Amino acid sequence: MSTRPVGKPVSRSRVALLHLPFGQRLWHRFQQQPPVEPENSVLLRVLVQALVAVGIIATDLAAADSADALGISAWAVPASGVGAVWSWLQRYKRNIPVKFCIAIAMLLALAAFFTRLWGERNDTRLALATLLIHLQVFHSFDLPRRKDLGYSVVIALILLGVAATLSQTLTLAPLILVFLGLAVPVLMLDYRSRLGLAPSSWQRTRSPISWQPLGRFLLLIGGLGLVIFLVLPRFPGYQLRSFPVSTPIPMQEEFNPSTILNSGYVRQGTPGSGGGGLNQEQGPGELNPEVYYGFNSRINQNLRGILKPRVVMRVRSQAPGYWRVLAFDRYTGQGWEISRNAEEQLQTLERPVWSFRFTLPWSVTLNRTREVIQSYTIVSDLPNLIPALYEAKELYFPTDQIALDAEGSLRSPVPLSEGLTYSVVSEVPYRNRTQLQQATSRAPAAIRDYYLQLPPEVAARVQEKTKAILAGSPKPLTTPYEQVLYLAQYLKQNYTIQPDLPFFADNEDLVEAFLFKYEGGYPDHFTTVLTVMLRSIGIPARLVMGFGSGEFNPLTGFYVVQNIDAHAVTEVYFHKYGWFAFDPIPGHELLPVSIEETETFGVLRQAWNWVAGWLPSPLTGFLTRLFQQLVTLIGGVLSGLVALFSRGWLGILAGCGLLTSVGFLGWLSWRGWRHWCYRRWLAKLPPMEALYQQMLRHLALHGFPKSPAQTPLEYAADCRVQQPIERAKAIDEISRAYVDWRYGGQPADLAALQRHLKHLKTQLQKPLRHVIWSRPHSIRR
């Protein structure tokens, strides 16, 4: 008969383990491990799971802004919830098989991550976020301890941070507020759990968090975040050289760089896809309301109609600018075309296999330039033309090839579809008026051959009109730069936009009709007229199509560009200095917005311009004058100090004495202000809270600060070791009374505690050699 005691049967795995070398010792160590102390707060687990859900959903929404939607929250949030419920039910068990399965699943997720990483090697944020979501879902099936819940909170915070870097709209703002609203009670419940208070006792305690303080806290955090974002300097080289780029786009057919895929134009009698055609390359016709007519190898300015506003792209740039798309060199009488558009006249560029970077040729200039980095996200489909600030020197694009035409325009093998992201690094020239006025009118033959072309039948009449306009200037215009400025301003002031302009006849020239018949025209007609007038007097010029900078959103840092921001500008060539744009359209700035000498706080300036647009004019003027006076005052003070220090040794001594006196008075004022604020703060606290805070302040002033990570009882325990017996006893009594009042709802004997605090203050004034250091046995542990 077996003599084995009756009990739980020994498993086969244990028997096998015991027969292995050192098996008994390994099993003994396994059995000696302390049991896991589970977290029993249902409310804490629910709120942590809500934080995780917010992080996952935020990542999904942000991905839809800058790339294709992940759709991962549809299964990740429910799966994580199921895992949390399972973890709650199994929190008292070791769950060794589950841990083993979780480890295998995490290895598979890591393998999938490395597979995806090669395709998204230039922007790994989404790949990393997806890996983190997978790990969180697996991890949710094993959350017995409070520390495990803390890991989930950290993962949720990281996901929200990733979403913030991806988001390009304000859709993330409500989720950030929800996250903050959930994080505060999570931290509170976590702190109570660290104190060892049972969850059942929390129901008897009134929560210290109410809706009004929570709302003020959220407003404070949001306001501080916005202020920090606005005043954060944007230095030219602060970005890393790893720019946002979409996943690689495979080529379906051979790239023909001479073809521009604009769905708004009719091709061989068949309307283009998507836009419905409508735009004809010649003759009178109706303007396609969805697609801008100017993005084609040949444009027809005898079209009539208006565009329906819609957002086409979002741009993050170190400086605003004109997002240049396409340039034209040949005037046709009622439009423009690119004369050098044959496949052999275009330059096809290929990128390395290991990088998305295309290195572009760019012209050498005597002018000073500045590097400007831009990232573009396409919101609505565009032709296969790549917008960029002029002049681009590096392009990070997801195709294997691109093309560059003779006018410096970039072409893609495929149309720019919704969700496409790419980046550009441009060398943008400063517009130095003094240098440009010194530029001569002569130009190389390669420039004169293409950018002085005009139809013979209109050249003489336009030239005569142009010279007559220049002759009417109050002062002689001797340089090409002055002539360009005067002509552009003249067109703005003396001709009008005419939305009801009739169609031109077949043999009617646009410029002649504009100047002599209608005295105005469509907005882009102004640019055509200026370009032709400049050519007629020997100044090289070309017509350029692109987008204005758009509307700047200071909350996201993106320029929101619509199709109605597309318009034409005139680029003028200045010998040895390159091409510069001018905008003669009424209502536009004469010089298109571009880089300035100081753009370190450009976001703050843009934000102020945005806010000022919503304010009444008198208030805007008042605030502007106030800021100007503050700047003038600060500048005057600094100038006075510089003048004082420049008066020799006496001036230096007087300046140092003045600064010392001002600093001392400022220090006294600051101390008085701090003391007054502290007394007011204490007066608003409950008596027990105020007493405890006074104790902490006096101890901190004497070199015994309380760490924010310590609980009151942990701090009191440290003081029992570091402080003499009398001090430690007073600290222990006050700390325990505070914990009982704060978390247990027990009333405190304030009179006795006040005596303890007074005695502690007295003890702190004594030298340490006059106090007793014996370890107190009477203090409760």
Side-chain angles (χ1 to χ4, degrees):
M1 185 173 180
S2 175
T3 60
R4 190 181 66 179
V6 178
K8 186 175 180 180
V10 180
S11 64
R12 294 182 178 179
S13 59
R14 175 180 174 182
V15 173
L17 180 63
L18 293 176
H19 283 82
L20 293 174
F22 307 103
Q24 292 183 356
R25 184 180 301 178
L26 183 62
W27 181 262
H28 179 71
R29 288 188 178 182
F30 181 74
Q31 291 295 102
Q32 291 297 322
Q33 290 183 355
V36 175
E37 183 179 351
E39 176 57 57
N40 292 316
S41 170
V42 177
L43 182 58
L44 177 59
R45 289 175 174 271
V46 170
L47 292 178
V48 168
Q49 189 59 35
L51 280 179
V52 171
V54 170
I56 296 174
I57 295 173
T59 305
D60 224 354
L61 290 178
D65 279 348
S66 58
D68 295 333
L70 294 176
I72 198 171
S73 58
W75 66 266
V77 172
S80 183
V82 170
V85 173
W86 166 268
S87 179
W88 162 258
L89 297 176
Q90 304 293 321
R91 65 189 183 279
Y92 290 107
K93 300 179 181 180
R94 293 186 181 274
N95 297 321
I96 301 300
V98 175
K99 294 178 187 292
F100 182 74
C101 293
I102 291 175
I104 294 177
M106 287 184 174
L107 290 176
L108 294 176
L110 188 62
F113 163 72
F114 282 118
T115 302
R116 181 178 179 181
L117 192 62
W118 174 252
E120 301 178 10
R121 56 191 177 277
N122 206 66
D123 187 4
T124 59
R125 290 175 295 176
L126 281 179
L128 290 170
T130 304
L131 173 64
L132 206 58
I133 292 173
H134 289 159
L135 297 182
Q136 166 56 34
V137 172
F138 302 145
H139 174 65
S140 64
F141 284 87
D142 186 33
L143 301 173
R145 301 169 297 177
R146 182 180 65 248
K147 182 167 65 174
D148 297 318
L149 295 174
Y151 295 150
S152 295
V153 173
V154 172
I155 289 175
L157 183 61
I158 294 174
L159 290 175
L160 190 69
V162 173
T165 65
L166 291 170
S167 179
Q168 300 179 2
T169 63
L170 295 179
T171 55
L172 191 64
L175 291 177
I176 294 178
L177 296 179
V178 172
F179 190 92
L180 284 175
L182 293 171
V184 171
V186 164
L187 295 176
M188 180 193 72
L189 295 174
D190 179 80
Y191 186 68
R192 289 175 180 243
S193 178
R194 292 175 184 271
L195 291 175
L197 298 176
S200 58
S201 67
W202 303 350
Q203 300 175 359
R204 302 192 299 267
T205 307
R206 183 178 65 86
S207 173
I209 302 297
S210 60
W211 286 109
Q212 188 175 3
L214 180 60
R216 289 200 297 265
F217 176 77
L218 294 178
L219 289 176
L220 176 63
I221 296 298
L224 286 175
L226 178 59
V227 170
I228 291 173
F229 174 80
L230 293 178
V231 303
L232 193 67
R234 264 67 175 176
F235 296 110
Y238 78 102
Q239 289 99 338
L240 299 175
R241 289 289 172 171
S242 179
F243 304 116
V245 180
S246 296
T247 55
I249 300 175
M251 296 290 298
Q252 302 297 332
E253 55 187 20
E254 186 177 354
F255 177 30
N256 182 4
S258 64
T259 301
I260 296 179
L261 306 174
N262 189 330
S263 60
Y265 269 90
V266 175
R267 301 209 176 274
Q268 297 180 355
T270 303
S273 61
L278 293 183
N279 293 340
Q280 301 180 19
E281 293 188 351
Q282 57 185 359
E286 182 182 354
L287 183 71
N288 189 302
E290 302 290 339
V291 182
Y292 183 59
Y293 80 99
F295 302 148
N296 198 44
S297 57
R298 180 185 177 94
I299 62 171
N300 178 13
Q301 293 189 303
N302 199 14
L303 303 175
R304 301 293 179 264
I306 58 175
L307 289 172
K308 294 180 181 179
R310 63 170 180 170
V311 177
V312 293
M313 62 183 182
R314 290 187 288 264
V315 184
R316 171 169 284 168
S317 175
Q318 290 177 309
Y322 180 76
W323 320 121
R324 188 179 188 271
V325 177
L326 199 62
F328 301 87
D329 63 334
R330 178 179 294 172
Y331 176 59
T332 62
Q334 294 184 0
W336 293 83
E337 67 179 0
I338 302 173
S339 64
R340 293 169 286 181
N341 195 47
E343 185 173 354
E344 60 274 8
Q345 295 175 306
L346 303 176
Q347 185 178 0
T348 302
L349 305 175
E350 296 186 359
R351 63 173 175 84
V353 178
W354 60 86
S355 173
F356 288 101
R357 185 178 73 173
F358 292 89
T359 301
L360 309 174
W362 52 290
S363 56
V364 179
T365 174
L366 295 180
N367 207 12
R368 190 162 65 94
T369 62
R370 172 185 159 189
E371 183 181 86
V372 178
I373 301 170
Q374 318 119 63
S375 292
Y376 298 79
T377 299
I378 305 303
V379 179
S380 299
D381 293 348
L382 290 175
N384 62 322
L385 302 170
I386 304 174
L389 277 181
Y390 187 79
E391 181 176 19
K393 68 173 184 179
E394 292 179 11
L395 172 65
Y396 296 78
F397 202 76
T399 59
D400 295 332
Q401 295 178 320
I402 63 163
L404 179 69
D405 66 16
E407 314 302 330
S409 306
L410 301 171
R411 304 186 186 186
S412 165
V414 295
L416 307 188
S417 58
E418 179 182 356
L420 176 70
T421 299
Y422 67 94
S423 299
V424 181
V425 180
S426 302
E427 282 291 339
V428 182
Y430 286 95
R431 188 186 293 265
N432 189 318
R433 182 166 182 170
T434 302
Q435 290 181 337
L436 296 181
Q437 285 180 334
Q438 297 173 354
T440 61
S441 58
R442 68 176 185 271
I447 298 295
R448 296 195 307 268
D449 291 345
Y450 291 97
Y451 303 110
L452 294 178
Q453 171 270 333
L454 284 178
E457 58 272 15
V458 301
R461 193 178 183 190
V462 173
Q463 182 186 60
E464 182 182 355
K465 177 66 174 178
T466 303
K467 290 182 176 180
I469 293 174
L470 293 175
S473 172
K475 62 177 183 178
L477 303 174
T478 58
T479 65
Y481 187 78
E482 293 176 341
Q483 294 172 351
V484 174
L485 290 177
Y486 186 83
L487 288 174
Q489 194 64 39
Y490 184 89
L491 292 177
K492 282 176 176 286
Q493 296 176 351
N494 294 277
Y495 294 87
T496 60
I497 295 177
Q498 300 182 11
D500 298 325
L501 184 72
F503 290 108
F504 301 128
D506 291 341
N507 58 350
E508 189 174 16
D509 183 81
L510 183 155
V511 177
E512 287 189 331
F514 182 100
L515 293 174
F516 306 112
K517 184 175 181 181
Y518 300 112
E519 296 186 349
Y522 268 33
D524 285 350
H525 294 174
F526 285 79
T527 308
T528 292
V529 172
L530 176 63
T531 306
V532 172
M533 292 176 75
L534 292 175
R535 289 186 173 191
S536 70
I537 57 174
I539 299 177
R542 63 187 178 191
L543 187 106
V544 176
M545 295 292 188
F547 294 97
S549 59
E551 182 178 359
F552 178 74
N553 187 336
L555 299 179
T556 62
F558 281 87
Y559 294 90
V560 181
V561 183
Q562 301 187 67
N563 58 347
I564 57 175
D565 292 320
H567 64 278
V569 297
T570 297
E571 279 188 351
V572 181
Y573 180 79
F574 296 93
H575 187 49
K576 297 183 180 181
Y577 296 100
W579 295 92
F580 287 87
F582 298 83
D583 191 344
I585 300 176
H588 293 194
E589 293 291 336
L590 178 60
L591 306 179
V593 61
S594 184
I595 57 174
E596 297 178 359
E597 292 292 335
T598 55
E599 281 289 338
T600 304
F601 297 96
V603 174
L604 183 61
R605 178 179 58 82
Q606 292 282 355
W608 165 246
N609 293 337
W610 179 71
V611 172
W614 292 88
L615 298 177
S617 298
L619 180 59
T620 302
F622 170 76
L623 292 176
T624 303
R625 289 192 299 271
L626 178 62
F627 293 151
Q628 290 176 349
Q629 292 174 0
L630 289 176
V631 172
T632 302
L633 177 61
I634 295 173
V637 171
L638 294 178
S639 300
L641 289 175
V642 171
L644 184 61
F645 277 95
S646 61
R647 294 181 180 178
W649 287 106
L650 290 179
I652 294 175
L653 292 176
C656 292
L658 178 63
L659 291 178
T660 303
S661 301
V662 171
F664 181 71
L665 291 176
W667 177 74
L668 288 179
S669 302
W670 175 250
R671 282 182 59 87
W673 169 258
R674 290 286 302 272
H675 182 72
W676 179 76
C677 292
Y678 175 71
R679 302 307 302 179
R680 285 199 61 189
W681 175 66
L682 284 180
K684 295 179 180 180
L685 295 177
M688 185 64 238
E689 179 78 23
L691 190 144
Y692 182 70
Q693 293 297 333
Q694 289 181 71
M695 181 195 75
L696 293 181
R697 183 170 185 267
H698 281 87
L699 288 170
L701 291 175
H702 286 81
F704 307 108
K706 174 182 174 295
S707 171
Q710 284 182 310
T711 65
L713 296 184
E714 291 173 345
Y715 179 64
D718 286 348
C719 289
R720 287 200 293 270
V721 178
Q722 300 176 4
Q723 299 290 338
I725 179 173
E726 295 296 332
R727 296 184 190 177
K729 183 177 180 180
I731 295 171
D732 191 80
E733 292 293 337
I734 295 175
S735 298
R736 289 188 176 278
Y738 173 73
V739 170
D740 292 339
W741 167 82
R742 185 71 174 82
Y743 302 105
Q746 300 180 12
D749 187 355
L750 293 176
L753 295 175
Q754 287 285 359
R755 290 193 296 271
H756 282 300
L757 179 61
K758 184 177 180 181
H759 182 68
L760 177 62
K761 293 179 182 178
T762 303
Q763 290 290 320
L764 289 172
Q765 301 300 325
K766 294 181 179 181
L768 290 179
R769 65 178 180 271
H770 292 158
V771 298
I772 302 174
W773 281 90
S774 302
R775 185 172 179 83
H777 298 285
S778 60
I779 298 178
R780 293 176 293 170
R781 297 183 181 276

